[in-house]
Amino acid sequence: MEDAWKYLQQFTTARIALGRTGTSIPLSEMLAFRMAHAHARDAVYSLLDVDGLQSVCSTVFRLPVRLLWSQAAHRDEYLQRPDKGRQLHPEAAALLEALPAADLHKDIAFVITDGLSATAVNVHALPLLSLAIPRLQALGFSLAPIHLVTQGRVAVGDPVGAFLQTRIVVVLIGERPGLSSPDSMGAYLTFAPAPGLTDVSRNCISNIRPAGLSYAAAADRLVYLLQQALRQGISGVHLKDDSIQETRLLE
Amino acid sequence: MAYKYSIGGHTYAFTDLKTLLAKASPHRAGDVLAGVAAESYQERVAAQLALAEVPLRQFLQETIVPYEQDEVTRLIIDTHDAAAFASVQHFTAGELRDWLLSDAATTATLQALAKGLTPEMVAAVSKLMRNQDLISVARKCEVVTRFRNTLGLKGHLAVRLQPNHTTDDPKGIMASTLDGLLYGCGDAVIGINPATDSPAMTILLLQLLDQLRQQFDIPTQTCVLCHITTALQIMHKAPVDLVFQSIGGTAATNTSFGVSLSLLQEAYEGALSLNRGTLGQNVMYFETGQGSALSANAHFGCDQQTLETRAYAVARHFNPLLVNTVVGFIGPEYLYDGKQITRAALEDHCCGKLLGLPMGVDVCYTNHAAADQDDMDNLLTLLGVAGCNYIMGVPGADDIMLNYQSTSFHDAQYVRQVLGLRPAPEFEQWLYRQGITDLTGNLLPVPASHQLLGGM
């Protein structure tokens, strides 16, 4: 039996007005769900496009790009040991210790890591940075080298930021894949990054992808939050995202 | 104090109560990650045998997180009801397990006992139970709460309608909300997880839901699940029915969530003063989940299930309308697969109920866990049998904002139908008046001309 409100599907990508047979979901919808789940499972096991990101970042943004890696040796260990994904491998940490002084003490450091969907950052990190970086530079903020981290969690940005002695670190990371969004990217901002911080110290911009939060909207929010965080000297739950007020409520 | 159990010439020694509880806990990924799990099958059962012999009084003497360091421990000890405890104070943990399953433990005696039990006692008992026992005991409990309807009555199963949208688009949220209402869901609450924690957007979404509720006189409550500091900031300029917050079982976990008992108290008093409930004044909505303490590096060497029950002591202090464990949301590093998720959900539901909480369960999993819809079907059915207060209703089971799978509106209808469970009474009557269900609760065909669809 079809639902009479099928036309509501134009307003959301949520699985509404699926119809029913008895109280159950019709077969075509059930199999569509299974296929989406298969895509999400595959995204979890996708790999960070290190070569592609490295070459484009260095040519387009004219920033040094370095590759780091966490303590998680492989995907299965990564999934069961988030603690290892939060910490840099000692050999990677040694690379950071050897950084030239010119790379230190910048305002903002970007870290790109696979998280739970490398596909997400492979596709969305560069478009977002292409919008955000020129604006940040125009505002006079200094940028640290970009770091790619394989098998990383959000908190891996803390040791990277601490080594760089940057004022704020932004981690671009693949979020856990949803059925409708195997490629959703998150951006986490942490002021005064240092190992041991928790989520209460971070601001998150979630669901960055064309069908979710657009690159333009995400860049607006990112630039706004970075300005506020750097001006107020805080990040986390006490830094409210009032950028919505300026964009959304004027509609 | 130290605990011991000897078997086959080998003596297992457990240095303290928290170690004993952890070693006795059924196997799960998060306890392995924390380094507190039993190292063999034999050690686990030996710990359970030793745990069964621990007098309940000992749980009041030996705290698992230091009293001086942790306000949750202080809350548990300082609010313990000795009079309610009197009827079971001579029991060991093992004797309590047998008594809970006996005919002497009735709905009424369990309700009277709730405040005499501490989280650690309840956690201990759960570790001595099979899944079947967790279901049997939970089914005897009845925890009823009220705001604009009556939730938790035996034979009823409510649904939180969860119309999340990736960008908080009002029309998108309204489309999912109407879909849920037309599938008979929304009696527990219509609750949005906002995509960002913006005060302005929270206000806008609260107004949207409140307008819908008032226009169609829906006997339910609405909520935007923002951080509690946001709720406090806006509650005098927006229609806040319920104050939501994620909570955990140690003060340090709560710090990681940006809350404390005093902040919760402030928000609780604020929400009460709004006086928006018509049938009752249960104004708080809490979410919990095993693994949150370890995730915040705030577990003090305790196992995740025991700490989860301590979160219920925090919840209990504020007379919530709704508490749910978001059991499979946290991921495979805490609950690896369908078996672990199922076990944890039944534990959380049973332990919460024993402590007197209106427990719901978000029957859910993420795409990096080894679980699928079949596991959720099994768990949903078990929770229906166990008398769970409410579940989630997400369009097609796919939350497009939070990126995980929960239960669908269809799933809710399935479990109500196969087990003969009904919506909250006031909401059930509303569904009938709206022509959404018939007198027996079956869904009716709804025409495009239905008044709920008029605004879209």
Side-chain angles (χ1 to χ4, degrees), chain B residues 351-426:
Chain B
C351 289
K353 283 281 174 75
L354 279 173
L355 291 170
L357 286 177
M359 287 303 294
V361 176
D362 192 342
V363 176
C364 64
Y365 66 104
T366 60
N367 287 318
H368 59 317
D372 61 19
Q373 292 304 107
D374 292 335
D375 298 299
M376 299 302 106
D377 290 342
N378 294 347
L379 176 54
L380 173 63
T381 309
L382 295 175
L383 286 167
V385 175
C388 186
N389 279 30
Y390 68 101
I391 57 170
M392 309 303 127
V394 176
D398 170 16
D399 190 309
I400 58 172
M401 201 286 284
L402 292 173
N403 287 339
Y404 78 123
Q405 283 87 256
S406 182
T407 40
S408 66
F409 305 138
H410 296 73
D411 291 334
Q413 287 307 317
Y414 148 78
V415 75
R416 280 175 176 167
Q417 192 177 67
V418 296
L419 295 175
L421 299 169
R422 296 158 59 189
E426 301 83 358

Side-chain angles (χ1 to χ4, degrees), chain A residues 79-90:
Chain A
L79 289 173
Q80 291 173 58
R81 293 292 303 269
D83 53 326
K84 296 198 171 190
R86 294 184 192 117
Q87 292 168 335
L88 288 173
H89 191 278

